[in-house]
Amino acid sequence: MATNAIDQTRRMLSLVTYLRERPGARVGDVARAFGITEDELIADLDVLPMCGTSFRGGDLLDIDTDGDRIWWHNPDDVAEPLRLAADEATALLVAARAVATLPGLREGDRQALLRATAKLEAAAGEAAGASSRLSVTFESEGGVFADVDRAIAERRRLWLRYYSPARDELTEREVDPIRLFAVGHTYVEAWCRLSEARRTFRLDRVAEIKLLDAPADPPPVELRDLSEGLVQPAAEDPEVSVEVGPGGRWVAEYYPHDSAEELPDGGLRITLRTPDPASLRRLALRLGRDGRIVAPQALADSARQAAEQALAAYGE
């Protein structure tokens, strides 16, 4: 199950302590202990070797796995007291103050971060004074995140004005939020009252949001395992064939597909499935000369008409 960055950070900090006390721990046992899948645990283990006690790359966690057991080769090296250089302390203090201003941060986490920042300022001495003259602010979808997080905590319904790129339009809808998660971008999974179905909304596409007084009452749904990504086509979804030239081979890397057949010109014939084939019209427009939809014919005709209309608009 996907989690937000704060929850993942908590888990990884606990994971370090857990592994230190259990050399050679089995992957399956650790995953069960933390309530995550083995794939999610392996993803965490891929990140941990990039962490350590120095911003300059020294004293990093030397953790690896053979797929069955997990080994930490230098636990004693990173257990020594942390010593920060002036530039490291400044960077850490600036980052800590910036994160403390995030609207979506839980109040308990904010207070814990502020206490840790105060301790670091006391230890940093003159470096703390330099960091106070620098600031970083986050804009993006912070306010939307805060409203969604509050709605989930208070079990309240939300009203959204949401941009749908597949239809290139703004729609208004009421939703009962289920969970927040991050897979590349930040999303809210919710029960949509307009479509009477579970839907996923990207926060940076929410044009306007309001908390409603109506209680959220989503029907019981089984949460999807998002460890394999957000888009997970089903076998019953319609099949689409796309031919791309050498400049469009990236499509096979970014879109889950059933097959990718090499073409004589260095391109690919890609077969994929999607619950909403019309959403691929935007892909066709983005590809331009580097690709085209070849099947089904109705979708190919629709994409061609969309391209002709776009060209006509440029002519006008």
Side-chain angles (χ1 to χ4, degrees):
M1 182 187 303
T3 56
N4 63 42
I6 295 173
D7 291 334
Q8 184 182 21
T9 301
R10 285 199 196 99
R11 183 177 72 229
M12 291 176 68
L13 290 172
S14 300
L15 186 59
V16 170
T17 302
Y18 186 93
L19 294 177
R20 178 179 173 81
E21 297 172 353
R22 296 168 178 81
R26 292 190 178 277
V27 170
D29 294 340
V30 178
R32 282 190 294 273
F34 282 82
I36 58 177
T37 67
E38 291 188 13
D39 286 341
E40 287 177 306
L41 174 60
I42 296 300
D44 286 349
L45 295 177
D46 287 340
V47 174
L48 283 177
M50 294 183 281
C51 306
T53 58
S54 173
F55 294 170
R56 297 182 174 86
D59 300 327
L60 298 181
L61 304 181
D62 186 5
I63 295 177
D64 65 28
T65 176
D66 58 6
D68 179 40
R69 292 180 178 274
I70 305 169
W71 304 99
W72 185 355
H73 302 292
N74 65 338
D76 294 332
D77 293 343
V78 297
E80 296 178 358
L82 177 63
R83 289 181 173 84
L84 296 176
D87 59 332
E88 293 175 328
T90 298
L92 188 56
L93 283 167
V94 171
R97 293 194 189 103
V99 172
T101 65
L102 285 173
L105 194 63
R106 295 182 179 90
E107 189 57 31
D109 294 327
R110 190 190 313 280
Q111 292 303 320
L113 179 58
L114 291 174
R115 289 193 297 272
T117 303
K119 293 178 181 177
L120 182 58
E121 287 175 339
E126 294 181 2
S131 68
S132 66
R133 295 190 291 272
L134 302 173
S135 64
V136 176
T137 57
F138 299 95
E139 297 177 358
S140 64
E141 70 267 11
V144 176
F145 183 103
D147 286 339
V148 174
D149 191 48
R150 179 181 172 190
I152 292 173
E154 298 179 3
R155 299 180 182 275
R156 291 170 61 180
R157 187 169 297 174
L158 288 166
W159 173 87
L160 304 178
R161 195 151 62 91
Y162 185 76
Y163 173 69
S164 173
R167 300 178 179 82
D168 193 25
E169 65 180 6
L170 285 167
T171 59
E172 296 182 9
R173 58 188 79 202
E174 293 185 6
V175 304
D176 293 342
I178 298 171
R179 62 170 170 169
L180 279 160
F181 64 89
V183 180
H185 296 276
T186 307
Y187 299 83
V188 56
E189 187 172 13
W191 185 262
C192 177
R193 296 289 168 177
L194 178 64
S195 57
E196 287 298 317
R198 178 168 55 180
R199 291 289 184 265
T200 300
F201 304 96
R202 220 171 89 175
L203 297 197
D204 60 353
R205 291 176 179 164
V206 175
E208 190 176 353
I209 186 171
K210 296 178 183 177
L211 274 80
L212 303 179
D213 292 331
D217 186 27
V221 294
E222 182 178 353
L223 297 180
R224 293 185 298 155
D225 179 3
L226 299 173
S227 59
E228 297 299 322
L230 180 61
V231 180
Q232 300 175 25
E236 63 271 16
D237 289 340
E239 186 178 274
V240 178
S241 293
V242 181
E243 288 188 356
V244 300
R249 293 178 68 96
W250 57 267
V251 174
E253 299 177 9
Y254 285 89
Y255 285 80
H257 55 278
D258 295 337
S259 64
E261 177 187 351
E262 293 285 346
L263 297 176
D265 64 351
L268 296 172
R269 182 184 179 92
I270 302 168
T271 302
L272 52 85
R273 297 180 182 276
T274 173
D276 184 15
S279 64
L280 293 180
R281 284 181 301 194
R282 290 178 62 84
L283 171 63
L285 292 174
R286 181 180 177 185
L287 284 169
R289 295 179 180 178
D290 287 327
R292 64 191 182 96
I293 295 173
V294 295
Q297 190 60 49
L299 180 59
D301 293 341
S302 175
R304 184 168 53 254
Q305 291 171 5
E308 291 172 350
Q309 291 171 359
L311 289 172
Y314 277 106
E316 293 173 1

